[in-house]
Each structure stands twice: as C-alpha cells, then as structure tokens.
Amino acid sequence: MLNSTTYPLNSLDMTTISRLEESFFQVGESKNGKSYRLESLGIKNCGRVYRNLSVSQLVEHTLARQEGILGENGAVFVKTGKYTGRSPKDKFIVDEPGIHDEIDWNSVNVPISVEKFEQLYKKALAYMQGKDLYVFDGYVGADPEYRLGVRIINEFAWHNLFVHQLFIRPTAEELKHHHADVTVISVPGLQGDPETDGINSEAFIVVNFLKGIVLIGGTHYAGEMKKSVFSFMNYLMTKRNVLPMHCAANMDENGNTALFFGLSGTGKTTLSADPERRLIGDDEHGWSTQGVFNFEGGCYAKTIRLSKKNEPQIWEALRFGSLIENVTIDPEKRTPDYNDSSVTENTRAAYPVEFIPDCVIPGFGGHPKTVIFLTADAFGVLPPIAKLTNRQAMYHFISGYTSNLAGTERGITEPQATFSSCFGKPFLPLSPIVYAEMLYDRIIEYNADVYLVNTGWTGGPYGVGKRIAIADTRAMISAALSGELNHVKFHHHPIFHILVPESVPGVDSNILDPINTWSNPEAYQEKAKALAHKFVENFKQYQRVPREIMEAAPSLG
C-alpha cells in the first residue's frame, strides 16, 4: 500500500476502524466533514480530515493503514524506506527580498526561487485531493511568552503520531483558539522532479520563512518535520533576544541547570537522560533572560545498540505511545533487535518527554551553571573531558567539531570528521557569529563553566581504537556538574591548549590524557596535528571573529 513503509498485515483496515469507532463513540470532529480552515492554505477536495487524534486512535490508524506494526513492548515500529536520515542536500530556503540579506547562504542554506516554491506547492495541493489527511495543531516552545503555534498536515497516520509526541500538545481549551504561526505540509508520496522543480532529487524540504510554511515531499523520514520547525525557531528567536540552541538540558534536585550541545550521535539524549537528574529536554532549547526552556514536548533518541544497563530511562520509555523507526523486529515474537544495523545505524525512537521519570514539566530551567560541548572525535586525539576558557569556548562553539556518524545523513556509512558551526549548522539560517555572540554574552553574565567532552574514540582513530565507555563519560560529566572538577589539577594540552584534568573521581587517570592510550605516542602526535590543521583551515572562513578568539586555535607547530 505504501511501498517501502508497508508491513504485511491482515488484521485491520480503515473500514473496520471506522465501524469500531462508530460502534463505541458518537461521530466525532474527525468524521463530520470539517476541514479545519485547510481552505486557507488552498487545500480542497481532500478526503477525511483527522485533527489531533489521540495516541490510541493514531496507533489504530497506523496499523489499519499497514504503515507499521505493534511490537511486544507496545511501541509502533515503522520503516522509512530509502531515506533513513536527514537529506541536507534536498533542503532549500525560499529566497525573497524580505529575507535575502539575513540568510547565511551556504552549502546547507540553499536558495530556491519563489516561482519554484509555488510550483511545488501547487503540485502538493493537487496531490492531496481525495486523500485523507491528519492534522496536528500544537506548539513549539514551552515558555508561553515565546512559543509559536505549529500546524502539521500529514499524509501518514504514523507521521502524525510522531509530531503528536515530539511537539507540545495543547489543552482542549488551547485547541479551540489555536493559531498556526508555522505550517508544515508533509506528503512523502509526492516525488519532485529535479529537471522541472529546481531541486536535486525526488525529495524536497522547502522552508518559506515569510509565508511560515514548510513543504516536504519524497522522503518518509520523520525527522525532517522536527528539524524544519527548529530552523524556524533558529530564525525567529534571535529577533526576540532568545538564543536558540541545538542542545539537551537537565537539572539537579536543587535546580542547577546544565546544557549538552552536540550533533546527532554525540550523546545528547543518552547523557541528558540521567537517573540522578531531571530532564528538561533532549535536543532543542531557547535561552532567554528568564532561563532555559524546551522547544519540544518529546524526545527523538537514537536506539542503535540501546541497552537497559547503559540507557535505562530510554529503554523504559519505549512502550505504548512510542514510535520506533527502522529497528529490525522479529516477525512472530515482535521483539526488537537494537543491535541490528542492517537497515541503518540511525535507528530512532520518538516518545513524549513525560515518558522519562521525573522530567521537568513544563520544560523550564534556570540559567545554566555548566555547559557541555559533546564531540565524537573519530581521530581519537581529543581528551575525554577538558575545561575551556571563555575564549576557547567560543572557538569550539563556532567550530562545532565532531564526526558525522553513519546513518545520521544520507551517504554517510562510516564516521567522517566534520565541522558544524554551533553544533547545528544544518539548522542555522543566520550567520553562526550571531548565535556565538549571544552564547558568549550569557556565559559571561551567568558565570557558566564550559567543558569539551569527547564521546568518540580513544587508543587510536576509528577502526583502531575503541569508543570511550559510556560509564566513564557519565562519571566525568557528573564530576563537572557537581563541581568536583573545581578541586583537581589541570594541565594544558600541548597542541589544543585546552585544560586536561589529571584526575576524575571514579575514572582511570590513564585515559584522561589521550596520548597515554595510544601504543605509539609519535603516531598520536601526528594525528593530533592533522586534526589541529583541520581546525585552523576550517576557521579561516570566519573573518568577523575577534582576534582573541582566533588566538584560541590549536598549534600547528
């Protein structure tokens, strides 16, 4: 029925679901012909419109439409077909005079003309005729002062379950008066034409900031909806003196807040879901004059090699109401195999933040006392933890060094060194300097400590060394958050000049200085200098950066 996303089911169909609903309930809003103002978007002659269905209803519809199957843990399992990760080469921003001079046009902020956008939009309107549609009306931004109304229109029931769990769900009263500031239209079955549509493949993610519309087609990967809305927040929040951040956040029992910056696969979700701390959110936040607030209402965790021992909170969150992408599942027992990467390394689970015990609802926190930059160093040369001066913090924030891990983006099959400014370049419409200056001001004003934490390799590069043990990473981060690292000695790294602790409670001191973990110290020095050179070359693109930040660069000697 739905090509690569279809599972072989013979249990339910939409007629059965309709009869069941009408047998037990009176005909509800989703069945009485209401269009919920879709005409204002040009959407006409569609089938039934289902607005803000419950989780149970969305699960039923997903199963009936054979879009997924139910696992033994109660979660819905789906496949995303060809696209198992974001497709950055297929994302475009509509180039109009009103925003042209604001956007930092580059390899990820690629312009598309108004005419091509309108052409794709007309194709989408025609495609939706006669089709049942699922509408989610909710919010992005836990702080009512800054939140935006978001409307997401889906072709798939499981996509609507995804956004229902990932964004902030409205109360019944809020739903009566909901207004959409941002509208996402996701029609995966509509394929674009590179020859006529001004795009690169059959997939397209087109962001129109002036109209407040995102148009997605040709890809079943649900993460495109989430990240498109994040791009809107990254554009709009700076205008309101709110720093939008690609980070996780949590707090201790005394309310001390910590931030975890990092790209997908660096450990944001895993490390912020700490049984000893309260989760605010796992991926996207704003930092206003009042403190930190979550943009979202859910989590989107990587599940590859997930274990109950290492990630107990995430493990327990995968239950009824959760949605799990591209994880292999036993067809009879319906048990998942989280170690199987045959579909992709980028297996994912979406669930509401409330599934994490003792999470912070609503998602507010105070001004952070500790800021963590997470990197997965494929070269294996960065220390597992290092303290940064304020100038070094800006240098590493603007650099955004990590490794693209397999599956996070299309075409990546093994880790590759990359620099993603502000640990979120694919989602930043403005110059990274804008966001860096805002972070610098807040670190200074609130006297926050900043640490660089390597969750990547030790004892050698990828293929030779091994991944740093998550237990050691947790212990080092705990020491940073508790203030224990304020009482240990540090020494300067000879190449990167960052401050390396000589001891951390509960961690073998030999692993703290990475040169000690390599069998050949000279090979380590050579690889470290090679990475330092990459840092320096990458930073040449930033001409507006003050000299004192430029001087925080590693040495090439």
Side-chain angles (χ1 to χ4, degrees):
M1 179 179 178
L2 293 174
N3 300 323
S4 57
T5 61
T6 302
Y7 283 89
L9 288 181
N10 297 301
S11 53
L12 297 173
D13 56 29
M14 290 306 295
T15 301
T16 304
I17 288 293
S18 180
R19 289 174 178 170
L20 285 171
E21 289 177 342
E22 292 175 1
S23 297
F24 286 94
F25 309 103
Q26 293 182 349
V27 177
E29 284 189 328
S30 66
K31 308 171 79 60
N32 64 5
K34 285 189 176 181
S35 62
Y36 305 107
R37 304 184 306 278
L38 293 186
E39 293 91 344
S40 65
L41 296 166
I43 300 174
K44 301 176 182 178
N45 304 319
C46 56
R48 290 184 173 184
V49 179
Y50 299 95
R51 183 191 188 215
N52 284 66
L53 295 186
S54 69
V55 169
S56 295
Q57 289 173 310
L58 288 169
V59 170
E60 288 176 343
H61 281 237
T62 298
L63 300 179
R65 291 162 56 92
Q66 299 188 19
E67 296 175 1
I69 61 177
L70 203 63
E72 59 86 24
N73 58 1
V76 171
F77 287 74
V78 297
K79 294 179 181 177
T80 64
K82 175 180 177 180
Y83 292 84
T84 57
R86 289 184 300 101
S87 190
K89 293 182 180 180
D90 294 312
K91 178 186 173 185
F92 303 89
I93 297 175
V94 180
D95 187 4
E96 299 190 63
I99 66 163
H100 179 82
D101 293 336
E102 291 184 86
I103 303 301
D104 182 29
W105 301 108
N106 53 42
S107 60
V108 295
N109 293 329
V110 178
I112 191 171
S113 69
V114 174
E115 292 74 21
K116 292 301 183 183
F117 167 76
E118 291 178 347
Q119 179 175 306
L120 282 167
Y121 194 81
K122 289 178 181 177
K123 284 187 175 183
L125 295 180
Y127 177 82
M128 286 184 282
Q129 292 195 30
K131 292 188 179 296
D132 292 348
L133 298 176
Y134 295 85
V135 176
F136 171 77
D137 285 336
Y139 299 98
V140 56
D143 188 338
E145 184 175 350
Y146 300 107
R147 77 180 184 183
L148 299 180
V150 61
R151 161 166 280 195
I152 304 179
I153 301 167
N154 296 118
E155 173 185 0
F156 295 164
W158 81 263
H159 271 192
N160 207 246
L161 175 61
F162 175 89
V163 297
H164 181 283
Q165 301 295 50
L166 261 292
F167 291 100
I168 296 173
R169 297 157 287 281
T171 64
E173 187 63 27
E174 288 173 333
L175 192 57
K176 292 178 182 178
H177 309 286
H178 183 272
H179 168 76
D181 300 294
V182 179
T183 298
V184 179
I185 301 174
S186 177
V187 282
L190 174 62
Q191 296 192 346
D193 183 351
E195 292 188 8
T196 60
D197 294 329
I199 55 181
N200 296 324
S201 73
E202 73 278 2
F204 54 90
I205 305 96
V206 183
V207 179
N208 192 320
F209 285 122
L210 290 188
K211 290 186 178 295
I213 292 176
V214 178
L215 184 61
I216 302 173
T219 172
H220 295 190
Y221 184 64
E224 299 286 13
M225 296 182 288
K226 163 189 162 75
K227 292 303 185 183
S228 296
V229 174
F230 184 36
S231 294
F232 259 94
M233 296 297 278
N234 285 337
Y235 175 71
L236 294 172
M237 287 296 101
T238 59
K239 300 176 185 296
R240 304 178 66 181
N241 194 30
V242 174
L243 170 62
M245 304 175 293
H246 187 212
C247 72
N250 65 22
M251 65 169 64
D252 65 15
E253 59 184 8
N254 297 316
N256 295 317
T257 303
L259 302 181
F260 300 77
F261 285 89
L263 290 173
S264 297
T266 56
K268 290 192 315 299
T269 299
T270 296
L271 295 169
S272 59
D274 185 337
E276 303 300 319
R277 297 175 65 85
R278 301 183 64 197
L279 180 70
I280 299 173
D282 82 319
D283 196 44
E284 300 163 6
H285 293 79
W287 191 347
S288 71
T289 56
Q290 303 303 311
V292 169
F293 63 95
N294 193 2
F295 283 169
E296 302 179 295
C299 302
Y300 193 33
K302 292 195 74 171
T303 59
I304 192 67
R305 290 175 288 279
L306 180 74
S307 74
K308 188 173 184 178
K309 176 182 178 182
N310 290 331
E311 298 98 356
Q313 291 191 324
I314 297 174
W315 182 275
E316 296 297 335
L318 304 188
R319 57 183 191 264
F320 183 81
S322 295
L323 181 72
I324 301 179
E325 295 176 330
N326 297 316
V327 169
T328 301
I329 185 170
D330 184 282
E332 300 298 330
K333 297 180 179 179
R334 302 291 177 87
T335 54
D337 184 354
Y338 298 116
N339 294 316
D340 188 341
S341 61
S342 59
V343 177
T344 178
E345 282 274 334
N346 192 39
T347 55
R348 295 263 179 183
Y351 48 86
V353 69
E354 291 92 334
F355 280 14
I356 299 297
D358 201 28
C359 64
V360 180
I361 301 293
F364 293 98
H367 295 292
K369 301 296 184 184
T370 308
V371 176
I372 306 289
F373 294 162
L374 298 169
T375 180
D377 174 28
F379 283 81
V381 298
L382 289 179
I385 188 168
K387 191 170 186 179
L388 305 178
T389 66
N390 291 336
R391 293 175 181 176
Q392 289 172 339
M394 289 306 94
Y395 185 89
H396 283 272
F397 184 65
I398 294 171
S399 297
Y401 168 68
T402 188
S403 302
N404 261 349
L405 300 184
T408 302
E409 295 181 6
R410 291 190 68 217
I412 304 297
T413 57
E414 63 180 34
Q416 296 178 1
T418 188
F419 292 90
S420 185
S421 45
C422 309
F423 298 99
K425 182 178 179 179
F427 325 117
L428 305 182
L430 309 180
S431 166
I433 307 303
V434 173
Y435 307 100
E437 289 176 345
M438 294 181 74
L439 179 63
Y440 183 80
D441 290 343
R442 285 158 173 74
I443 287 174
I444 295 297
E445 181 173 359
Y446 301 108
N447 194 30
D449 290 325
V450 184
Y451 292 90
L452 179 67
V453 173
N454 175 22
T455 62
W457 283 260
T458 184
Y462 173 79
V464 176
K466 61 180 180 179
R467 200 76 189 256
I468 296 170
I470 190 171
D472 287 332
T473 299
R474 286 194 184 278
M476 288 180 273
I477 288 178
S478 294
L481 298 180
S482 67
E484 290 178 285
L485 292 188
N486 294 332
H487 308 292
V488 305
K489 292 183 178 180
F490 290 81
H491 66 266
H492 284 84
H493 191 281
I495 296 175
F496 292 94
H497 308 301
I498 51 184
L499 298 170
V500 180
E502 296 186 0
S503 63
V504 174
V507 178
D508 182 358
S509 297
N510 288 324
I511 72 168
L512 298 177
D513 194 329
I515 195 171
N516 296 333
T517 68
W518 283 54
S519 60
N520 185 340
E522 293 181 357
Y524 170 81
Q525 293 284 357
E526 181 180 347
K527 190 66 74 172
K529 289 177 182 179
L531 180 57
H533 181 77
K534 290 179 181 291
F535 267 91
V536 172
E537 285 298 310
N538 172 73
F539 218 83
K540 288 180 179 178
Q541 64 184 293
Y542 303 112
Q543 300 298 321
R544 290 175 46 201
V545 173
R547 186 178 67 179
E548 57 268 25
I549 294 178
M550 298 285 286
E551 291 174 348
S555 299
L556 297 181

